[in-house]
Amino acid sequence: MPEPTTVAFPPGFLFGAATSAYQIEGAVREDGRTPSIWDTFSHTPDRTAGGETGDIAVDHYHRYRDDVALMAELGLNAYRFSVSWPRVQPTGRGPAVQRGLDFYRRLVDELLARGIAPALTLYHWDLPQELEDAGGWPERDTAFRFAEYAQLVGEALGDRVEQWITVNEPWCSAFLGYASGVHAPGRTDPAASLRAAHHLNLGHGLAVSALRAAMPARNRIAISLNSSVVRPLSQDPADLAAARRIDDLANGVFHGPLLHGEYPSSLLEATRSLTDWSYVLDGDLRTINAPLDALGLNYYTPALVSAASDGVAGPRADGHGSSDHSPWPGADDVVFHQTPGDRTEMGWTIDPTGLYDLLMRYTREAPGLPLHITENGAAYDDKPDPDGRVHDPERIAYLHAHLSEVRHAIADGAEVRGYYLWSLMDNFEWAYGYGKRFGAVYVDYATLERTPKSSARWYGEVARTGALPPVDARV
Ligand code: FCB
């Protein structure tokens, strides 16, 4: 029987998978690469689960050909990866290291030869340690260093990569890196985290113009935001105000300047006791507001918040680890609640309607701007059967439900052009080390052998046909 038309995607829709450099590459001391903040952080006691590091990760640096072959065999037509800044420009300054660039050239050529469209992210959190030693993202100069690095990569790969993403999830870099400290560089300074947010925005804007100057005009430039879907616990005005404050800190601080050329006045007001925002210089907002060709959205789970009736803050909802320090500067009195429903291995509630709401919000915020889901996926405690196969029906159900909401949003007018499953294969999940498996492909960490899970086959079928098979389809 033909599939119902409601689950068929528009022709040309990209079905890909996503990864990032530090989470998969390994080879941290090869070909001139120097430490990033994640090397330093993961080698610092008690920062990651079990002291795990990305030193070897899943050895993608040496196995990239096999990994691309696997994607082709599954039927994926797009792949989102990130370039390691300290591999290409080791100290964050000066000329590019050709051996570093050559790795990405080989990877891209391999993808193109197999008909897989590359989507290149310039910054997925691996700042060269030397730039952190000079002050990191709270310092304005880091934004200029980033634009210079963007230019080097644009000049080298702009002839063969059409889809570019400047920064991945600046919220995590700014607020997990500099406020709650659960991510590298592990600082806990709320004022510095707001400066970091501005300089990540500025770095993006400067990189956009550097890339436009360095690359053919056909290339498309985006940024990937982990825009939260923030829901109030009730319609009580105090809860609505709490949701508004978290929305400003999760979303407005980025999409305000990116899409509208200004920071929300409510954000400036609510953070006034921490910072006077005097580091936002004349012209910065115009730079950040440079036109985009697409917007990347990463979605996992919504947030549910209320005002503290008893004045006591709830658990810190950052999703990526726990800390005594809040990742929400100036919002210590907002309470985060567990959203009802089933949860993944990360403890993240499964709520596909959040993805629909997010897509419709950006359809309103930025009419006509093409949207890409640059990450969506789930961690489960996958284990091989005695016969060596890995069955993950929960992940298939998760993907089916979320892809259905993407289709629903398209039907309601959202210009969604692509979807990238997080992640191609199990990998180093930041502060959680190797304990959380997000992959469609299972990795045996003792042998580094890759085994596609049943979800990889199911998703490959989606990519090949452009339609959703039932969750129990035999593929
Ligand atoms: C996102 C990150 C990605 C991965 C997923 C689970 O926030 O961009 O690297 O950690 O979460």
Side-chain angles (χ1 to χ4, degrees), residues 20 23 124-125 168-169 172 226 298 300 320 346 348 375 422 429-430 438:
S20 87
Q23 294 180 276
H124 201 125
W125 308 351
N168 176 69
E169 300 191 356
C172 291
N226 53 323
N298 297 354
Y300 291 93
H320 279 275
M346 294 294 276
W348 297 349
E375 287 181 26
W422 184 272
E429 180 46 42
W430 308 114
F438 273 93

Side-chain angles (χ1 to χ4, degrees), residues 53-111:
T53 73
D55 285 3
I56 298 173
V58 298
D59 196 34
H60 172 75
Y61 193 71
H62 299 116
R63 297 168 192 245
Y64 72 91
R65 271 201 186 88
D66 293 344
D67 291 337
V68 174
L70 192 52
M71 283 186 250
E73 189 198 309
L74 291 170
L76 308 191
N77 59 26
Y79 175 53
R80 172 177 180 238
F81 64 96
S82 81
V83 170
S84 160
W85 187 347
R87 209 182 271 299
V88 161
Q89 196 193 31
T91 59
R93 291 171 204 280
V97 167
Q98 283 311 316
R99 281 170 301 167
L101 285 174
D102 285 345
F103 167 69
Y104 297 104
R105 243 185 230 117
R106 291 194 303 270
L107 169 66
V108 168
D109 287 349
E110 201 71 23
L111 290 164

Side-chain angles (χ1 to χ4, degrees), residues 218-279:
R218 66 165 186 272
N219 292 354
R220 298 183 297 282
I221 305 176
I223 184 170
S224 284
L225 303 177
N226 53 323
S227 272
S228 298
V229 176
V230 185
R231 293 177 172 154
L233 188 65
S234 78
Q235 294 304 306
D236 185 292
D239 290 350
L240 294 174
R244 173 67 202 260
R245 280 166 59 208
I246 296 302
D247 189 62
D248 278 347
L249 287 163
N251 304 317
V253 66
F254 302 109
H255 77 214
L258 285 165
L259 301 177
H260 310 303
E262 59 185 13
Y263 286 103
S265 53
S266 47
L267 170 74
L268 303 182
E269 215 36 63
T271 53
R272 198 57 83 187
S273 64
L274 292 168
T275 181
D276 61 6
W277 294 86
S278 55
Y279 41 85

